[in-house]
Amino acid sequence: MSNAPLMPKATAVWLVDNTALTFDQVADFTKMHPLEIKAIADGDSAQGIKGMDPISTGQLTRDEIEKGEKDPNYRLKLGESRVVLPQSSKKKGPRYTPVSRRHDRPSAILWLVRNHPELKDAQIMRLVGTTKTTIASIRDRTHWNASTLTPMDPVTLGLCTQIELDFEVQRAAKEKPLDQAYGGATLLPASETTRKDDEYESSDKSQDDLDVDAVFAKLKTIGGKKHDEDEDEL
């Protein structure tokens, strides 16, 4: 149960007009300032507001009012209201952005797109309370004010808190991990390098053997031809 009655100002208007309670008593019951109650009594405030009877709603009893009228120091006790208000369920939707801050949203979106490209459109919508159309126009540089936009931190602009921004960034990082950076060339295993060296050595060795045999064969051929020429001369 709330500590203040339903429609406090309307209740204060009725109490001022229909009871002999002091300004402090009315102010304490309605959770308003005594000067506000005085302004209502003087006609400077709450003009045009129709008073609401707290007795009809069960928030006050006639006996309670009489006790207060007899003792200026007595504080009225709020009774349980007969009017039951349904609990409002919180609807999921875009974050509400005050009118004074709405012109800062494009700058905040540009900052998020540039500094946190991993964020999805839905996450940006939750952070600054915008639409997919606006985000797409800023990404594509087709926004009507794209030429003059300056990226600004949404936390600095008061559009979201640092905790909310960090949470969305961490969530995006988990859903889409960054690619591992190229670490440069790595050494081949010893078995691979040894195997290739052995092949090269055996190949070079056979090539050397082949070359030596060819050289000796050629020398023998040349020597035989020279011996035949000397015999012909003789």
Side-chain angles (χ1 to χ4, degrees):
M1 181 174 61
S2 176
N3 293 326
L6 297 173
M7 302 177 65
K9 186 167 286 189
T11 302
V13 170
W14 189 91
L15 292 174
V16 169
D17 293 339
N18 297 277
T19 67
L21 296 171
T22 64
F23 294 160
D24 290 337
Q25 287 176 312
V26 176
D28 181 77
F29 179 72
T30 59
K31 306 305 177 185
M32 297 173 64
H33 197 278
L35 293 179
E36 293 183 85
I37 306 301
K38 185 178 183 302
I40 292 174
D42 295 339
D44 298 332
S45 178
Q47 296 179 357
I49 296 180
K50 183 180 179 181
M52 188 185 74
D53 183 3
I55 298 176
S56 62
T57 58
Q59 298 180 102
L60 267 182
T61 62
R62 178 60 63 182
D63 294 338
E64 192 73 11
I65 293 176
E66 290 178 356
K67 289 180 182 178
E69 290 175 334
K70 292 177 181 179
D71 183 6
N73 295 322
Y74 182 78
R75 293 295 178 257
L76 302 176
K77 296 178 181 179
L78 179 66
E80 186 175 356
S81 176
R82 298 175 185 174
V83 180
V84 180
L85 297 177
Q87 294 181 352
S88 58
S89 57
K90 186 177 180 181
K91 297 181 180 179
K92 292 184 178 180
R95 174 192 295 271
Y96 172 75
T97 304
V99 178
S100 60
R101 293 289 185 182
R102 290 180 184 176
H103 65 279
D104 294 330
R105 283 188 297 192
S107 298
I109 296 171
L110 182 59
W111 188 91
L112 292 171
V113 169
R114 288 188 178 182
N115 292 277
H116 296 287
E118 71 275 10
L119 291 177
K120 298 180 180 179
D121 290 352
Q123 293 177 300
I124 298 177
M125 291 169 61
R126 284 195 296 268
L127 287 172
V128 300
T130 184
T131 61
K132 284 190 175 182
T133 305
T134 304
I135 298 173
S137 64
I138 292 176
R139 288 185 188 274
D140 303 337
R141 305 295 294 174
T142 58
H143 190 268
W144 66 272
N145 197 26
S147 59
T148 60
L149 285 181
T150 303
M152 298 184 69
D153 188 349
V155 176
T156 305
L157 295 174
L159 297 176
C160 66
T161 63
Q162 187 65 48
I163 296 176
E164 293 170 338
L165 177 59
D166 293 342
F167 175 77
E168 295 295 346
V169 171
Q170 291 175 3
R171 174 185 289 182
K174 290 180 180 179
E175 293 178 356
K176 187 180 180 180
L178 297 176
D179 295 335
Q180 293 183 353
Y182 175 69
T186 58
L187 296 175
L188 294 174
S191 58
E192 187 71 16
T193 56
T194 304
R195 184 182 62 82
K196 289 184 178 181
D197 290 342
D198 292 342
E199 291 180 357
Y200 292 150
E201 289 178 359
S202 59
S203 176
D204 293 342
K205 186 176 180 180
S206 60
Q207 185 68 28
D208 292 341
D209 295 342
L210 180 62
D211 292 343
V212 171
D213 295 340
V215 169
F216 278 109
K218 190 173 182 180
L219 289 175
K220 288 181 180 180
T221 303
I222 294 173
K225 288 183 178 181
K226 188 175 181 181
H227 180 70
D228 294 339
E229 289 177 357
D230 293 338
E231 289 181 350
D232 293 338
E233 290 179 358
L234 293 173

